[in-house]
């Protein structure tokens, strides 16, 4: 790409102004320093960038955004770069800057009594967990990437995880945010008012907007009392529909103590057992389906928990809802049960190429959907194996379709793989579901959203995007399928 | 107001088109039929209207909105007309139509197992309660106006009530909505996906927007298992700060069983005792402050509830948190305790003119705020009495300032009363609080929002309003303080 002389001069002006604004630690054009952040962690998207900014304060972010606005420079906000949909990777024009929030990683205030914490967007989830656990509190959201995922990234993608059933997704944890808008205005709703009806809840608009409406710089989060105990159950089932019945039963018996309900098919469990040397099957027999159930209690309910788990299991046996089941004897075994769940993605990946879909349908329909869609996909694409595992209690499964034997990695995904994804997304849409339950849209699914999204909703999204970012400089090409294409400028 | 001949003719065309679209039951210009809906229930605002539409379906609403857009006719959506801020009352230009949703009052679907109900916007809250209670479920939001308040109105104002502490405000109950946008587009998110990350959560933008961005026509709501039991406690306290300590203690001991925590000062209790012949004080001595605490349990926790209430009270005594306290002996007495709380507003009103403020500050600060603001107001306005009562657990109290003896009703409110409200709102703003915690802005507080709101947030609100309602036809003059004034056209 050749730049005209005029562009060069404007670009040079911008780079020099950015450098003097943020200093050496805050702005770099060093290709070697930038390079690791130009590819998403799964290696599916690679882009180019004019430079990388690492501001140290909200004021610096605001000043930088104003500078970008003045020079027409697009901005790609980035947290831990561990997103699933390429939402933090720049495009290949090289016109944008990457704006890393990682240097902003401080806890601003922590009210243990009120159970609220206010922190910078760049704080890493694991650090948040450690910080609040030291005060006998907990933050009720976790996921595989917790060692790199930042609070800002989790908010921008409205991240999920395994505790959504009981505690909701990231949106439910956020009491307030601070964000820099496209014109450099600082939106500040960090003051945690439990009730506030002074107009549109703009915070909600920014949550899950993937940096296309504003750049989240800080947040106030709710915390819960630390867990005093948990009971982890493993059940073998003959059919995914039985898992649905067991879920309803668990909700009835355990009420608010039910914190997680995950399912996995025989294929996934066996893949993990083959993949991980330490993995052991919880039950002697292998069943077509497995359910992993977690009950939890804080100090006020810990005494009653073992009896509750026992009674849940006994009543499930009595009602013929489970074929076989067990309760983890101790915390070590509970960890082992969860490890089986957490290892599914890498274990399935080790088998060979696969198309992965993060989908949801209405909770009551998920079991039927899986029972219907798995054979349909395998029939339409002979030789493939479809596996669905994950958050049955949220109506959200990860629907993986493994390539036929002999498929060429890197090539299969772009050919048959693409057709498979379109097929799966069509099925999900026919079931009134979502093609992105918890991973967001990013650049990975933007065109599928354009193809399958409700035209009315897409129209309103575009209106909002144009109103709040008229020049289209905030994370261009992500999430919002603009009619006019995705050119940033 | 004299209309030009051209306007007349356009108006006639509109009226005739509206009549033929909606029929006699759906559209009227009969002044007698319209008149009751031109004044808010508290009689503070009166307007005029070109006509009143009562569409029977979402399609009719959409067609009507398109007709209004074509003729430039403003629309004032109205539910039960029991709002607190004049948000459903038209202005006095007579250019707008009132769009009543009351004819749309059907339950569309009810999934007892999934605990979800989808209903038209005009369904009355009490009817919803009755409908779900017949299936041993409950809708965890209630308020004084439940006999007239509609689901659409509750959503448009993000209504609160006495159960927000445990269950959140209306926003937290809404799983999906259907709304007609300014151009007649139907936004439909009624399909209840628990997880869906396909872009901006537009539903959240519409909730609490008071009909200024779209007209809510239906909603899908979450339901909870019916209550099996409750325990209602009454505590006498020396100081509002002790109420805060007792609240924290109750949260610690009772956890999720704590459903309500209301406070009222001696003045309010004595006003109720004087006002209501049937009212009896729960405790022999009168205390400076009183706390009303409700613990609840569904079937899974009902057995443990009486012991929990007992242990809460005993430990509160041991720690010196209460001066005196009692537990309602039975459901009849529990009702009596709650009646004392519910009767405060009418009892205080019977004393004489008062300025009423629905305010919030951060939950941890509310006790200090009340302790600080009450004497400040009484000193600044000699002869007044300031009383604060309500939802301490939500950081939200109703802050009433009673007129000095001899004040002339109807006149005092417009003179000293106005100055008092400005004073109270200034105080609340200085404490990082909200001038509308649960009643919304409407026309009552629009100018105060313009005066005290964060300019950054007001700017974003205006951008969103202009993007989604460029002609300014949806509930003009309400909520959003447009820079250019509030003229609808």
């Amino acid at each position: 790409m050749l730049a005209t002389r005029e562009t060069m001069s404007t670009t040079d002006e911008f780079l020099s102004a950015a450098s003097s604004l943020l200093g050496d630690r805050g702005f770099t054009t060093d290709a070697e320093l930038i390079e690791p952040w130009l590819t998403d962690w799964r290696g599916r998207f690679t882009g180019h960038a004019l430079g990388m900014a690492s501001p140290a304060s909200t004021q610096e972010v605001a000043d930088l955004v104003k500078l970008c606005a003045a020079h027409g420079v697009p901005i790609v906000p980035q947290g831990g770069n561990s997103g699933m949909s390429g939402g933090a990777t720049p495009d290949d024009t090289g016109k944008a800057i990457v704006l890393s929030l990682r240097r902003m990683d401080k806890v601003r205030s922590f009210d243990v009594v009120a159970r609220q914490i206010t922190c910078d967007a760049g704080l890493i989830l694991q650090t948040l967990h450690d910080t609040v656990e030291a005060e006998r509190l907990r933050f009720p959201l976790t996921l595989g990437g917790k060692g790199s995922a930042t609070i800002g990234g989790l908010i921008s993608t409205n991240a999920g995880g395994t505790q959504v059933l009981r505690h909701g997704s990231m949106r439910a944890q956020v009491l307030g945010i601070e964000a820099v808008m496209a014109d450099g205005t600082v939106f500040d709703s960090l003051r945690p008012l439990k009730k506030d009806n002074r107009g549109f809840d703009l915070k909600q608009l920014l949550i899950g907007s993937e940096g296309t409406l504003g750049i989240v710089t800080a947040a106030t989060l709710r915390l819960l009392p630390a867990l005093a105990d948990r009971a982890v159950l493993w059940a073998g089932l003959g059919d995914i529909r039985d898992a649905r019945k067991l879920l309803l039963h668990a909700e009835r018996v355990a009420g608010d103590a039910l914190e997680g309900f995950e399912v996995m098919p025989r294929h996934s469990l066996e893949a993990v057992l083959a993949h991980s040397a330490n993995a052991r099957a919880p039950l002697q027999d292998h069943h077509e389906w497995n359910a992993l159930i977690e009950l939890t209690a804080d100090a006020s309910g810990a005494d009653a928990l073992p009896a509750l788990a026992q009674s849940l299991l006994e009543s499930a046996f009595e009602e013929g809802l489970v074929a076989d089941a067990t309760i983890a004897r101790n915390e070590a075994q509970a960890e082992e049960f969860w490890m089986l769940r957490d290892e599914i993605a890498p274990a399935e990946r080790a088998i060979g190429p696969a198309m992965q879909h993060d989908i949801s349908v209405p909770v009551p329909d998920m079991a039927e959907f899986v029972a219907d869609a798995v054979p349909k996909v395998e029939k339409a694409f002979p030789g493939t194996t479809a596996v669905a595992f994950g958050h049955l209690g949220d109506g959200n499964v990860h629907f993986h379709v493994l390539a036929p034997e002999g498929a060429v990695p890197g090539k299969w995904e772009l050919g048959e793989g693409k057709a498979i994804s379109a097929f799966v997304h069509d099925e999900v849409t026919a079931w009134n579901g979502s093609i992105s339950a918890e991973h967001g849209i990013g650049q990975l699914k933007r065109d599928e959203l354009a193809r399958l999204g409700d035209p009315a909703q897409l129209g309103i999204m575009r209106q909002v995007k144009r109103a709040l970012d008229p020049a289209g400089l905030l994370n261009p090409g992500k999430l919002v399928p603009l009619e006019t294409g995705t050119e940033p400028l």
Side-chain angles (χ1 to χ4, degrees), chain A:
Chain A
M1 189 194 66
L2 287 174
T4 65
R5 197 160 305 170
E6 204 187 337
T7 318
M8 283 297 288
S9 130
T10 310
T11 302
D12 287 346
E13 263 174 53
F14 168 76
L15 292 176
S16 139
S19 285
S20 70
L21 175 66
L22 301 175
D24 282 351
R25 277 199 67 193
F27 193 77
T28 181
T29 56
D30 183 328
E32 217 169 305
L33 291 176
I34 300 176
E35 193 270 331
W37 309 104
L38 296 180
T39 299
D40 74 305
W41 75 280
R42 297 178 67 185
R44 294 199 279 195
F45 300 96
T46 296
H48 298 282
L50 207 55
M52 186 163 81
S54 305
S57 68
T58 302
Q59 190 56 53
E60 284 192 358
V61 176
D63 291 343
L64 178 70
V65 169
K66 280 178 197 160
L67 190 66
C68 289
H71 288 82
V73 173
I75 300 167
V76 179
Q78 193 178 80
N81 195 27
S82 45
M84 302 294 281
S85 305
T89 308
D91 64 21
D92 58 10
T93 61
K95 289 181 182 174
I97 58 160
V98 172
L99 195 168
S100 164
L101 277 303
R102 287 183 295 275
R103 234 177 113 200
M104 291 175 62
D105 63 353
K106 302 285 180 298
V107 172
R108 295 192 186 179
S109 64
F110 183 6
D111 185 335
V112 173
V113 174
R115 300 203 300 251
Q116 294 175 344
I117 192 166
T118 298
C119 59
D120 286 343
L123 188 74
I124 287 173
L125 180 56
Q126 182 65 62
T127 311
L128 176 68
H129 282 303
D130 296 344
T131 304
V132 306
E133 279 163 19
E135 298 289 345
R136 303 185 54 75
L137 294 173
R138 71 168 174 147
F139 180 68
L141 185 142
T142 192
L143 37 69
K146 63 186 171 187
S148 58
T150 62
I151 298 308
L154 294 165
I155 292 172
S156 298
T157 57
N158 185 27
T162 51
Q163 296 165 320
V164 175
L165 175 64
R166 170 77 181 88
H167 301 293
S169 59
M170 194 66 186
R171 185 180 301 280
Q173 322 312 325
V174 176
L175 302 176
I177 66 170
E178 178 192 80
V180 174
M181 309 302 287
D183 61 0
T185 298
V186 178
F187 168 81
D188 179 358
S189 73
L190 290 178
R191 300 158 308 176
L193 294 174
K194 177 148 185 179
K195 283 161 91 173
D196 183 12
N197 273 347
R198 283 178 296 174
F200 314 152
D201 193 342
L202 299 167
K203 164 187 84 212
Q204 301 287 359
L205 192 57
L206 288 157
I207 297 170
S209 70
E210 302 187 10
T212 63
L213 298 180
I215 299 161
V216 176
T217 47
T220 301
L221 306 168
R222 71 161 182 151
L223 304 169
L224 299 180
L227 288 185
D229 199 8
R230 67 170 174 175
V232 177
L233 291 71
W234 189 281
L237 304 159
D239 189 292
I240 180 71
R241 295 178 191 90
D242 295 341
R244 163 76 180 153
K245 287 180 204 151
L246 182 59
L247 168 64
L248 289 170
H249 180 72
E251 286 178 344
R252 223 164 20 235
V253 174
D256 284 340
L258 179 65
E259 179 151 318
F261 193 103
E262 302 281 308
V263 294
M264 73 198 76
R266 181 178 184 140
H267 186 283
S268 295
L269 178 59
E270 290 177 349
V272 172
L273 296 173
H275 181 66
S276 305
N278 299 329
R280 279 177 303 181
L283 303 172
Q284 195 147 14
D285 295 335
H286 285 201
H287 301 268
E288 288 311 306
W289 285 90
N290 302 274
L292 175 60
I293 306 170
E294 178 159 307
L295 310 182
T296 65
D298 60 23
S300 71
D303 290 348
L305 195 66
L308 183 64
Q310 199 61 45
S311 111
L312 169 59
L313 216 57
E314 279 165 19
S315 54
F317 272 116
E318 272 166 32
E319 298 191 19
L321 296 171
V322 295
D324 193 5
T326 184
I327 302 177
R329 282 185 311 275
N330 49 39
E331 184 54 25
Q333 199 180 23
E335 285 287 341
E336 279 178 32
F337 285 8
W338 269 107
M339 193 272 282
L340 296 172
R341 163 66 186 87
D342 293 338
E343 286 295 308
I344 296 175
E348 294 279 12
R349 221 174 285 147
I351 295 175
M355 298 309 290
Q356 303 169 3
H357 312 91
D358 158 49
I359 56 170
S360 65
V361 299
V363 179
D365 301 336
M366 184 44 101
E368 286 297 337
F369 170 81
V370 170
D372 181 72
V374 164
K376 237 183 205 168
V377 169
E378 291 177 348
K379 191 181 166 200
F381 301 94
T384 61
T385 304
V387 294
F389 63 91
H391 324 300
L392 188 75
D394 307 328
N396 167 211
V397 294
H398 301 295
F399 195 99
H400 290 196
V401 183
L402 283 65
E405 258 184 73
V408 182
K411 199 171 160 191
W412 175 80
E413 291 88 339
L414 301 172
E416 186 177 52
K418 269 208 146 163
I420 289 171
S421 287
F423 187 93
V424 171
H425 291 160
D426 285 346
E427 284 296 309
V428 166
T429 305
W431 282 73
N432 286 329
S434 170
I435 63 168
S436 176
E438 59 177 9
H439 292 170
I441 296 293
Q443 50 187 301
L444 178 68
K445 293 184 180 171
R446 192 203 53 207
D447 293 343
E448 281 294 80
L449 179 60
R451 185 173 74 87
L452 295 168
D454 172 22
Q457 297 195 25
L458 292 177
I460 302 168
M461 274 177 67
R462 289 184 189 113
Q463 286 170 321
V464 171
K465 168 72 175 170
R466 288 197 185 111
L468 297 186
D469 180 23
L473 296 179
L474 290 183
N475 216 5
K478 313 292 166 47
L479 179 57
V480 189
L482 294 171
E483 285 152 320
T484 50
T486 59
E487 277 302 300
L489 289 175

